[in-house]
Structure formats: structure tokens, C-alpha cells
Amino acid sequence: MSDKKATLSVDGKTLELDVYSGTIGPDVIDVSPLTGNGYFTYDPGFVSTASTESKITYIDGNQGILLHGGYPIDQLAEQSDYLETCYLLLYGALPTAEQKEKFVNKVRMHTMVNDQVSTFFKGFRRDAHPMAIMCGVVGALSAFYHDSLDIKDEQHRQISAIRLIAKMPTLAAMTYKYTIGQPFMYPQNHLSYSENFLHMMFGNPCEPSKVNPVVARAMDKIFILHADHEQNASTSTVRLAGSTGANPFACISAGIAALWGPSHGGANEAVLNMLEEIGDESRIDEFVAKAKDKDDPFRLMGFGHRVYKNFDPRAKVMKQAADEVLAELGVDDPLLRIAKRLEQIALEDEYFVSKKLYPNVDFYSGIILKAIGIPTSMFTVIFALGRTPGWIAHWNEMISGSYKIGRPRQLYTGPAQRDFVPLDKR
Ligand code: CMC
């Protein structure tokens, strides 16, 4: 119940609806009583729908603000590290030194996957898309960790969270190794989270791994920038799957599937493919014109966002990180010049300005990942790895509180009831 009310008049009836205020952000109108009065709300794409109350992440799309537990994303990217950000998302506060050490050690102790998991990979073609493999192997974890599948048990949820965060880099690197026909690398637990991932990606059993600390820091930053983004499509998918009581590994696998699409996490791969297709600055105008053409389905990948209508704060940090990494590694990537020119043109073009289409996080992440040596087909896997704590944090927040199965309704526009017509009479 709330003191603030909204009034809705329809068909001569007046309905009084509660209005709730969050800590910050727009108020929400509680439309749940509508169904009892014979109405549903209609909001395709959930553009005006808050599906839940949450304490984890706040976004102000007009001002380009992204806060995790109240902390701005740029401060976390500069001053925190990925595992600390995971802790913040899972537990709602930055850890003390002691809490952090305990958490990092716990993650370290779970980096290995059951050896039997490695046999799953052999079922995939070597040229399978890495996201196809990830959907399968992450979901398959539910067949191994029976001791942490009781979602009503807080301890089970905690151990599943740690397992997922710890094993995602191992599975992601195994996926890559499998697609290039190299042996899997075991995790090295003296390494940091990001160093370990790079070691498993690029190391081989014949030589000791050498991980460039600048690259490891850039990787860590990329993971932080992807760690959470409130009720986005993949997180909402995880929550919807979780609302049925499905186990966390199955829910995260559903999230990976939702992330794969080019409108969501698949955009980072699509951006690089697009920049390569443009190939030369002289062709940018042609592609901008295609993006503006109503009859052409082509969109400038890495531009636009459902929520950000001013700038994507993650893109700002990512752009700076791209400059730093390329300078440090001495990479002069012509794609970066195309990207910068494209960004400049789009930012000045009336079409993009009037529709508030700005570069998003995926626009620059591909440039860094490419410089680090990550193949394009692995880009969305990196996003999935980074997003895992966000998915689990939202899943856990839902399961820890009171929730209902997610079950939207519809505006039915098909045929009204009619009698079945036998085949010989049709
Ligand atoms: N290039 C050209 N036109 C665009 C673009 C684009 N990238 N994005 C949106 N528009 C146009 C769109 O055609 C529409 O025009 P009109 O009003 O004339 O019909 C208008 O802008 C609004 O677009 P929308 O599709 O209704 O907006 P949305 O909020 O439903 O979609 C989006 C958001 C991110 C799916 C979309 O901007 C897009 O497809 N961008 C390219 C893919 C991309 O970069 N995705 C990554 C998102 S950030 C990472 C993540 O969080 O997953």
C-alpha cells in the first residue's frame, strides 16, 4: 500500500492504483489489480514495465548513469577489480579486506570442472559457434553438481554462485581450445581471475604461460563493464526461467542463449564484422546511408540502446581502455580509425542525433578484444562470462524474496471460437 495513487478511468469504471517510489528513478504504478478488474496492461518489449523491485543496479538512461550498489561504473572500472565487483553484486556491499580474501579464495577453489565435463566438448563440431557450445556445457553443469541444486537452500545457492563465477572462465577457455584443436589448459590458481582466463585461453602445455599484466588489467576491466545491467533481456530470461524453480545452471544457460542475439550481447561480434565489412573510411558514408534507409534492415551495430538516450557510460570507459591497450601493445589497428570516424559521423548525423543513438558498450569492446588476440567468435562468450555475476545476483535476489512464476498475458487477435471443420470439408 502507498499514499500516492494513480487513477485510471476505463469503461466508466475508476480504478485507484498504488504508486511506489524507489530510492532514485521514476515512480512505478502498481498495475497488478487490473487483472482482477478484467484488464491487462499492454507493453510489447516491456518498454514501460518494471518487472520487479531490485537493490542491485540502477540505470538513468537520460543522464548516462550506471550504479552497482550505488557505486558509479567508471569508479568501479578504475578502482575496483572484477571479483570485488562480483562480491558487490552478490552481497550488496564492497567487501572488507578479510571478506575479499575469503571470497577470492573460495572462487579459486572452484575453478576446475569435473573431468567428465570435458567429454561433452567432443560431441560438438570443431567449427561450432562458441556460444552454441557454452549454452550446452553451462547447462550441463546441472548434471554434475547435485549437491547445490536445492534453490530453497541459501547455502546451495551460494555455492552454485561461486561455482558459476569460478568455472565460467574455465569453460569459456575450453570452448576456445576445442574450436582450435588445442588441449585444454588447467586453471592455475596462483593467478588472478583475469590472468587465469588468459592463461587458459592462450597458454599451451609445452611452454610456461606468460600473461601481460596490461592485457590482464584490460580483461578485468572488460569483465567489470559487463558485470551487470539490471533487467536486460538475458537477465530477465534468467529470472523468468528461475521463477519456475529451475536450477541455477539451467537458468544461466537460458541467459547465455538470450545474450547470443545481435540485438544484445551478440552485438560485439557483429560490430567487428561490420567494421571489417566497411573495410575503409571511404565506405563509411555508404554504410551510414544503409543504416538510415527504412527499407534496408541494416543497422549500425554498436549504436543505440533501449535505456541509454544520452550516452552509455560503459562505452566511455571502454573507449579509453581501447586507447590505452592499443598504445601499450603498440597496435595500430585500421579498424579503430574506421570506428572513430564512424562514431564521429554518427554523432553529428541528424538521423542518429534525433533518435538518440549513441555508441554502446559493444562498439569499442571488440577493438580491445581483437588487440588482445581474442577471436571475434569468442566476443559474446566474454560478455557472458562477465555478465554471470549479474545474472546470479538477480536470480538469487528473486529466489531469496517472495516471487511468482513469470507469466505475461497477451492481447489476442486470432480467430474467435469456431467449430472444427473435417478435412474433406475444407
Ligand atoms: N542503426 C540504425 N537505426 C537504429 C539503430 C541502429 N543501430 N538502433 C535503433 N535504430 C532506429 C530504429 O530503426 C528505430 O527507428 P524508427 O523510430 O524510425 O522506427 C529507432 O532507432 C528506435 O529503435 P528501436 O529498435 O525501436 O529501439 P530499441 O530500444 O527497441 O532497440 C537496440 C535498442 C539496442 C536493440 C537497437 O538500438 C539496435 O538494434 N542496436 C544495434 C545492436 C546493438 O548494438 N546492440 C547492443 C546493445 S548494448 C549491449 C547490451 O546491453 O546488450
Side-chain angles (χ1 to χ4, degrees):
M1 288 289 273
S2 154
D3 291 341
K4 196 168 171 186
K5 305 280 179 196
T7 311
L8 178 72
S9 299
V10 57
D11 296 336
K13 270 194 269 183
T14 300
L15 304 172
E16 208 171 60
L17 304 168
D18 284 323
V19 178
Y20 303 123
S21 302
T23 327
I24 32 178
D27 288 351
V28 300
I29 301 169
D30 181 355
V31 294
S32 56
L34 290 187
T35 182
N37 286 282
Y39 298 99
F40 301 139
T41 53
Y42 180 61
D43 183 23
F46 309 123
V47 290
S48 298
T49 296
S51 61
T52 186
E53 181 187 324
S54 178
K55 293 184 169 54
I56 300 170
T57 287
Y58 173 75
I59 300 176
D60 182 328
N62 292 325
Q63 293 191 60
I65 292 172
L66 168 60
L67 310 175
H68 295 319
Y71 300 103
I73 188 65
D74 53 325
Q75 291 183 22
L76 291 170
E78 292 307 329
Q79 298 172 48
S80 180
D81 59 53
Y82 180 64
L83 282 184
E84 188 171 64
T85 304
C86 290
Y87 185 100
L88 172 65
L89 293 171
L90 291 177
Y91 306 114
L94 287 172
T96 62
E98 195 189 327
Q99 287 167 330
K100 183 171 173 181
E101 197 192 336
K102 237 171 128 181
F103 180 72
V104 170
N105 278 335
K106 254 198 220 165
V107 172
R108 272 201 187 117
M109 290 304 115
H110 286 90
T111 49
M112 241 176 13
V113 289
N114 185 302
D115 202 44
Q116 201 67 17
V117 171
S118 60
T119 59
F120 276 97
F121 286 86
K122 295 203 172 73
F124 290 97
R125 287 168 56 129
R126 295 270 178 192
D127 63 355
H129 193 285
M131 284 296 277
I133 301 180
M134 287 297 284
C135 288
V137 294
V138 174
L141 294 181
S142 38
F144 288 87
Y145 300 104
H146 298 128
D147 59 342
S148 63
L149 296 184
D150 180 358
I151 62 161
K152 294 196 186 77
D153 185 319
E154 160 79 24
Q155 278 306 105
H156 280 220
R157 294 201 302 275
Q158 289 300 328
I159 191 71
S160 286
I162 297 287
R163 278 180 171 148
L164 276 158
I165 290 169
K167 293 181 201 309
M168 280 297 273
T170 313
L171 292 172
M174 286 170 88
T175 296
Y176 174 55
K177 289 297 198 191
Y178 181 76
T179 60
I180 57 168
Q182 283 191 9
F184 299 140
M185 294 295 288
Y186 284 122
Q188 289 287 328
N189 288 345
H190 65 280
L191 297 173
S192 74
Y193 190 86
S194 297
E195 286 170 342
N196 208 358
F197 173 62
L198 292 167
H199 148 74
M200 290 187 284
M201 280 287 290
F202 299 119
N204 70 66
C206 311
E207 286 166 37
S209 283
K210 275 193 227 99
V211 178
N212 179 333
V214 176
V215 172
R217 178 67 194 134
M219 200 71 250
D220 207 67
K221 217 179 242 191
I222 290 173
F223 290 151
I224 294 174
L225 291 173
H226 286 106
D228 188 39
H229 215 222
E230 51 120 301
Q231 312 302 327
N232 57 85
S234 55
T235 302
S236 296
T237 302
V238 169
R239 283 176 45 99
L240 200 58
S243 77
T244 70
N247 76 69
F249 302 106
C251 296
I252 300 303
S253 169
I256 294 173
L259 185 77
W260 193 358
S263 296
H264 193 7
N268 53 14
E269 180 177 343
V271 168
L272 213 85
N273 290 337
M274 177 188 75
L275 293 176
E276 270 163 1
E277 203 189 332
I278 295 175
D280 189 88
E281 285 180 58
S282 63
R283 297 191 63 207
I284 292 178
D285 288 344
E286 185 192 320
F287 279 80
V288 170
K290 264 166 77 67
K292 288 158 60 173
D293 182 353
K294 274 240 160 280
D295 300 323
D296 191 324
F298 174 78
R299 285 186 165 197
L300 274 194
M301 299 315 288
F303 278 80
H305 197 274
R306 167 59 63 78
V307 183
Y308 294 122
K309 299 298 173 198
N310 188 340
F311 67 94
D312 179 340
R314 303 167 300 171
K316 233 178 166 178
V317 183
M318 199 67 93
K319 183 178 180 183
Q320 201 188 336
D323 286 338
E324 283 165 15
V325 170
L326 296 192
E328 180 68 32
L329 298 179
V331 176
D332 179 21
D333 191 337
L335 292 189
L336 185 66
R337 281 198 295 278
I338 298 176
K340 285 195 164 155
R341 184 76 194 119
L342 184 62
E343 181 190 14
Q344 193 187 358
I345 291 174
L347 287 178
E348 288 163 4
D349 190 290
E350 165 58 18
Y351 173 93
F352 290 90
V353 173
S354 65
K355 291 186 189 297
K356 298 183 192 298
L357 301 170
Y358 297 88
N360 57 49
V361 67
D362 289 324
F363 190 64
Y364 280 104
S365 62
I367 305 275
I368 312 184
L369 292 173
K370 182 167 180 263
I372 292 174
I374 310 266
T376 315
S377 62
M378 281 292 291
F379 287 5
T380 314
V381 172
I382 303 287
F383 194 150
L385 199 171
R387 183 55 54 87
T388 298
W391 286 332
I392 306 169
H394 286 277
W395 170 81
N396 193 38
E397 186 179 59
M398 178 181 71
I399 304 288
S400 316
S402 69
Y403 64 98
K404 285 183 191 308
I405 183 171
R407 179 37 170 113
R409 300 304 301 267
Q410 62 174 5
L411 170 67
Y412 177 70
T413 52
Q417 182 171 333
R418 47 185 170 169
D419 287 329
F420 182 79
V421 182
L423 195 56
D424 60 341
K425 302 251 163 46
R426 279 177 233 159

